[in-house]
């Protein structure tokens, strides 16, 4: 499973766009990139998944450059309720398990 | 998607006792997993709960300490045996519903405190 590196913490303000970048230099050809969100006292929640280029859903966008060695989760116009830990994971599903890194603790300020 | 519930949501236990945590999924799933999460820390995978066979444990976790059952495709239990204060943690189960098991659904967790 490819190792991921992401910032330990980030602060932003309500209404701003937040971009969290994850490095995965050893990503394999069959690997997908998946982001999870975890609120305090809750289990992680799937946000978005992509393989290359750009993916967008109702929650976020995921930008993946051509070399796929990094990815950026973009949260548009954040609110206080977006305060959470965001985990970037890389894998192809064949191992049938997820290994979580340390995640990025995002704190949204009023 | 899948909805996952866990029982109990929290418990306070005495040293040396055991606690069994239940995980129920609202649909049949291929894979179920158990994690541990210390306060302020990331999740650590304990084991994969295999239906009809013994669980697959990660390094540092053994069956005698964390026996797991998976009697069917919607239910699993994790027992924390002979507990010590170091076992105080949040225990979460998750389920993979499709062929790409990077997409998993998590339960709300069980907060365990061992005195």
């Amino acid at each position: 499973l490819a190792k991921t590196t992401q910032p330990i913490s980030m602060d932003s303000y309500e209404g701003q766009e937040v971009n969290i970048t994850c490095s995965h230099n050893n990503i394999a050809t069959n690997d997908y990139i998946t982001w999870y969100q975890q609120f305090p006292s809750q289990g992680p929640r799937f946000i978005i998944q992509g393989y290359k280029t750009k993916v967008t859903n109702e929650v976020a966008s995921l930008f993946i450059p051509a070399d796929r060695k990094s990815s950026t989760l973009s949260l548009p116009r954040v609110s206080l309720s977006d305060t959470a830990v965001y985990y970037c994971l890389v894998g192809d599903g064949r191992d049938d398990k997820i290994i979580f890194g340390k995640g990025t603790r995002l704190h949204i300020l009023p | 998607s899948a909805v996952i519930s866990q029982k109990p949501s929290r418990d306070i236990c005495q040293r040396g006792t055991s606690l069994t945590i239940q995980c129920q999924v609202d649909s049949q799933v291929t894979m179920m997993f158990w994690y541990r999460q210390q306060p302020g820390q990331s999740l650590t995978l304990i084991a994969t709960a295999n239906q009809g066979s013994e669980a697959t444990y990660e390094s540092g976790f053994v069956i005698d300490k964390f026996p797991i059952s998976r009697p069917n495709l919607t239910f699993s239990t994790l027992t924390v045996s002979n507990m010590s204060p170091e076992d105080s943690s949040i225990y979460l189960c998750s389920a993979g519903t499709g062929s790409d098991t990077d997409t998993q659904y998590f339960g709300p967790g069980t907060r365990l405190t061992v005195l």
Side-chain angles (χ1 to χ4, degrees):
Chain A
L1 296 170
K3 178 179 169 61
T4 60
T5 303
Q6 48 184 128
I8 295 296
S9 65
M10 293 179 65
D11 290 340
S12 187
Y13 291 92
E14 280 191 294
Q16 298 294 309
E17 178 184 81
V18 171
N19 296 308
I20 306 174
T21 297
C22 178
S23 298
H24 28 80
N25 292 317
N26 296 323
I27 190 169
T29 302
N30 295 330
D31 285 348
Y32 281 78
I33 300 156
T34 310
W35 286 79
Y36 286 80
Q37 174 191 55
Q38 185 177 26
F39 296 116
S41 301
Q42 294 186 26
R45 179 179 76 120
F46 169 85
I47 302 177
I48 197 166
Q49 184 180 72
Y51 183 80
K52 61 180 179 180
T53 62
K54 176 183 174 182
V55 179
T56 297
N57 62 22
E58 65 279 5
V59 176
S61 294
L62 179 59
F63 297 92
I64 306 168
D67 66 5
R68 304 199 329 121
K69 292 184 183 299
S70 66
S71 59
T72 300
L73 174 73
S74 181
L75 304 171
R77 299 182 58 79
V78 293
S79 64
L80 295 176
S81 62
D82 291 313
T83 293
V85 180
Y86 293 81
Y87 295 98
C88 164
L89 298 102
V90 172
D92 63 4
R94 288 182 298 177
D95 286 328
D96 296 332
K97 61 185 179 183
I98 298 177
I99 303 298
F100 281 81
K102 297 185 184 301
T104 297
R105 192 171 297 274
L106 176 64
H107 187 205
I108 305 301
L109 303 167
Chain B
S1 65
V3 178
I4 300 174
S5 59
Q6 288 184 231
K7 290 181 183 179
S9 58
R10 59 178 60 221
D11 207 341
I12 300 173
C13 301
Q14 295 296 320
R15 181 196 298 262
T17 63
S18 297
L19 176 71
T20 295
I21 302 168
Q22 298 179 7
C23 177
Q24 180 73 54
V25 189
D26 69 344
S27 58
Q28 292 188 345
V29 292
T30 306
M31 309 298 293
M32 293 183 74
F33 306 90
W34 286 97
Y35 292 82
R36 182 170 72 181
Q37 186 173 30
Q38 305 282 5
Q41 303 295 314
S42 183
L43 289 81
T44 300
L45 181 64
I46 298 172
T48 302
N50 300 309
Q51 197 268 327
S53 64
E54 196 170 277
T56 305
Y57 290 84
E58 297 298 306
S59 175
F61 298 95
V62 295
I63 188 172
D64 290 347
K65 177 67 176 177
F66 298 101
I68 288 171
S69 77
R70 175 111 189 256
N72 56 51
L73 293 175
T74 64
F75 186 79
S76 178
T77 67
L78 168 75
T79 299
V80 186
S81 303
N82 188 25
M83 288 183 285
S84 67
E86 291 71 36
D87 295 319
S88 296
S89 189
I90 298 171
Y91 293 85
L92 299 105
C93 73
S94 73
T97 58
S99 59
D100 183 351
T101 55
D102 276 355
T103 306
Q104 290 187 11
Y105 299 90
F106 285 80
T110 296
R111 182 179 294 272
L112 171 62
T113 302
V114 184
L115 303 178

